Amino acid sequence: MATDYGQGYGFGSGSGFPGDADAGRPRLPAGLRAPFEGRSWREFGYVLLGLPIGILLFTYAVTMVSLGAGLLVTFLGVPVLAAALAGCRGFGAMERVRARALLGLQVSDPEPLRRRKQGAMGWIGAVLKSGASWRSLLYAVLQFPWSVFSFVVAVNFWAVGWAMLTYPLWFWVFPMYAGQGGVQLYGDETHSVYLDNPFEITLTALVGLLFTLATPWIVRALTTVDRLMVHGLLGPSRLATRVVELESDRGVVVDTAAADLRRIERDLHDGAQARLVSLAMDLGLAKEKLREDPQAAVIMVDEAHGEVKTALQELRDLARGIHPAVLTDRGLDAALSAIASRCTVPVRVEVDLTERPASAIEGIAYFTVSELLQNISKHARATSAAVEVWRVQNRLMLQVVDNGVGGADASAGSGLAGLAERLDAVDGILVVDSPAGGPTRVTAELPWRSEPVAR
């Protein structure tokens, strides 16, 4: 069950010159780039589109729901209300597409309608009972006032910022066509203040620059609320998301179990079984030669005895790979010390547990550390390592640290990614901190479950 870091360890493919490391980095800081970035303009476009779409959604939702509520005294109110909710679901799908295109927000579709009966009545009942339908209606109502607020704030900041920033380019319009020195800053019956001298014009442009630089971040903050609304009201419910996660985790567990069974079958077939077949043949030949050539038979029996020892060792190694006896008998401390002694580098083991977790969690923790130590032996080029295990409330924490070359990456499709999937199947987490040049620190978090007491 060895995990391979694959291309995780090691350095990148750059030439190593200092300039190469910065070749792909933007030269301007984020604050100066923001007004010209495509993301800022897409977010501004999202806010601009939000107002007319908000008016449409609000008008539709209030009109249809009011009509349906008014007709509830007759049978027509129920299908009208169902049609209103279905329309809101359709608008919700449109909003998810808009958020994906302009905000880069990936939101899954909500849970589909579950009909208990066929026909129109079954569809109406499914729409009215669906929580996603009512959340879509709530979004249509709430999105309108928020779109008005965000539209007003974004447009005013954007327009004022660019107008003031470019004021030195167009202030000449006032003395030429309006008969005044510039933009009137203040005026009453006795006197007026105009932005007309070079100092005031320059100061106006500087203030406009501040507005222009701040506006993208203000718009980004406004669209953060839109992201939360779209994700919370138009996406799947937490229960539906949890069901999907559990189904995915169940598939990972099934695939992992099937892979382990195939590995055990392959190891038995290629290892111990082949040796036992060879042993049976050698003993048969020794039996035939026992009377004719006792000396040769003794040699063959001695060789068979060596084969038996080798087969027993392979069976012990295979059993250790399934579930080692030391883990069952003495717990994590002794089991981790045993695998640490087989590592190619010195490993310090510290286990701070007052009680043992459930056997399933204990086994996952054991094999997680075992795979990480095998990675250190094969790829890390380290001279020392450490394993720490402790408990934090209802979580079991594991940490494996080495002083190797670093560069391990769990997102690169390596064995670490598979290990992360196995931990995720039991609500665990794997965090890899491995900068180039080391050290590598892998932290695993597992749910704590105590062993049930036998009655």
Side-chain angles (χ1 to χ4, degrees):
M1 297 178 64
T3 302
D4 187 2
Y5 282 2
Q7 298 178 354
Y9 272 110
F11 298 95
S13 57
S15 63
F17 291 98
D20 292 347
D22 300 328
R25 298 179 183 176
R27 296 183 178 180
L28 289 177
L32 297 179
R33 296 196 317 268
F36 310 100
E37 286 183 333
R39 174 182 176 180
S40 299
W41 289 100
R42 288 193 297 269
E43 290 174 341
F44 185 60
Y46 184 90
V47 172
L48 293 181
L49 289 175
L51 181 60
I53 292 177
I55 296 174
L56 175 63
L57 293 181
F58 185 83
T59 303
Y60 172 84
V62 172
T63 302
M64 292 295 292
V65 171
S66 300
L67 179 62
L71 293 176
L72 282 178
V73 294
T74 67
F75 179 75
L76 293 177
V78 176
V80 170
L81 187 58
L85 294 177
C88 289
R89 289 177 68 104
F91 283 123
M94 178 190 69
E95 285 294 271
R96 288 193 297 274
V97 172
R98 184 166 72 102
R100 186 181 304 115
L102 297 179
L103 300 182
L105 180 63
Q106 301 292 334
V107 179
S108 303
D109 295 337
E111 56 273 20
L113 298 177
R114 297 184 178 182
R115 302 188 187 184
R116 296 185 177 180
K117 299 180 181 179
Q118 297 297 324
M121 295 304 299
W123 177 82
I124 292 174
V127 172
L128 294 177
K129 293 179 180 179
S130 172
S133 302
W134 295 99
R135 292 197 304 273
S136 299
L137 173 62
L138 181 61
Y139 175 85
V141 174
L142 295 180
Q143 196 268 347
F144 171 64
W146 175 251
S147 66
V148 173
F149 173 78
S150 58
F151 181 90
V152 171
V153 172
V155 170
N156 276 279
F157 269 87
W158 205 280
V160 170
W162 282 102
M164 296 179 69
L165 178 62
T166 59
Y167 183 60
L169 301 178
W170 56 272
F171 82 97
W172 55 269
V173 173
F174 293 93
M176 182 171 293
Y177 295 104
Q180 61 188 46
V183 172
Q184 185 176 6
L185 185 63
Y186 173 78
D188 55 21
E189 296 179 356
T190 59
H191 62 279
S192 301
V193 177
Y194 298 98
L195 302 176
D196 53 1
N197 60 62
F199 173 77
E200 293 174 345
I201 293 173
T202 303
L203 184 61
T204 300
L206 292 177
V207 174
L209 177 62
L210 295 178
F211 270 79
T212 302
L213 295 177
T215 299
W217 303 101
I218 295 174
V219 173
R220 193 159 301 175
L222 296 173
T223 55
T224 299
V225 178
D226 290 284
R227 294 171 187 270
L228 294 175
M229 291 176 59
V230 173
H231 188 274
L233 297 178
L234 300 183
S237 64
R238 296 181 62 181
L239 179 60
T241 303
R242 183 59 178 161
V243 169
V244 173
E245 290 177 355
L246 291 176
E247 290 178 349
S248 176
D249 293 345
R250 182 182 62 183
V252 172
V253 171
V254 171
D255 293 341
T256 301
D260 289 341
L261 287 176
R262 289 194 298 268
R263 178 185 60 82
I264 294 171
E265 180 182 6
R266 182 179 65 251
D267 291 343
L268 284 173
H269 182 271
D270 298 340
Q273 180 179 344
R275 289 192 179 278
L276 291 175
V277 170
S278 176
L279 175 62
M281 296 175 62
D282 291 342
L283 290 176
L285 293 175
K287 181 180 178 181
E288 294 178 357
K289 288 184 173 291
L290 185 60
R291 294 182 179 179
E292 300 176 359
D293 191 354
Q295 189 66 28
V298 170
I299 296 175
M300 296 179 68
V301 170
D302 185 63
E303 293 176 354
H305 183 255
E307 289 291 323
V308 169
K309 291 183 177 180
T310 304
L312 287 175
Q313 183 60 42
E314 290 183 353
L315 289 174
R316 290 193 190 99
D317 294 339
L318 182 60
R320 187 184 295 114
I322 299 172
H323 196 85
V326 65
L327 179 62
T328 303
D329 298 338
R330 301 173 58 189
L332 271 176
D333 196 353
L336 295 183
S337 298
I339 59 174
S341 65
R342 298 194 297 269
C343 189
T344 57
V345 301
V347 181
R348 175 176 55 85
V349 179
E350 293 185 8
V351 178
D352 184 14
L353 297 177
T354 57
E355 60 177 316
R356 295 179 61 175
S359 58
I361 299 299
E362 196 174 52
I364 294 174
Y366 171 84
F367 287 113
T368 299
V369 175
S370 176
E371 293 185 21
L372 293 175
L373 289 181
Q374 290 187 51
N375 288 333
I376 294 174
S377 298
K378 294 180 179 179
H379 309 288
R381 301 203 294 274
T383 58
S384 65
V387 176
E388 297 179 1
V389 182
W390 70 98
R391 177 183 177 182
V392 178
Q393 296 180 352
N394 62 340
R395 308 294 286 183
L396 177 64
M397 308 296 296
L398 314 172
Q399 191 171 84
V400 179
V401 184
D402 69 78
N403 63 349
V405 296
D409 186 7
S411 63
S414 63
L416 282 175
L419 186 59
E421 290 180 355
R422 293 190 180 190
L423 294 180
D424 184 64
V426 293
D427 288 337
I429 300 173
L430 185 74
V431 179
V432 180
D433 180 18
S434 182
T440 296
R441 185 183 305 271
V442 181
T443 304
E445 181 179 333
L446 291 166
W448 178 276
R449 289 197 294 269
S450 299
E451 192 70 41
V453 179
R455 296 183 179 179

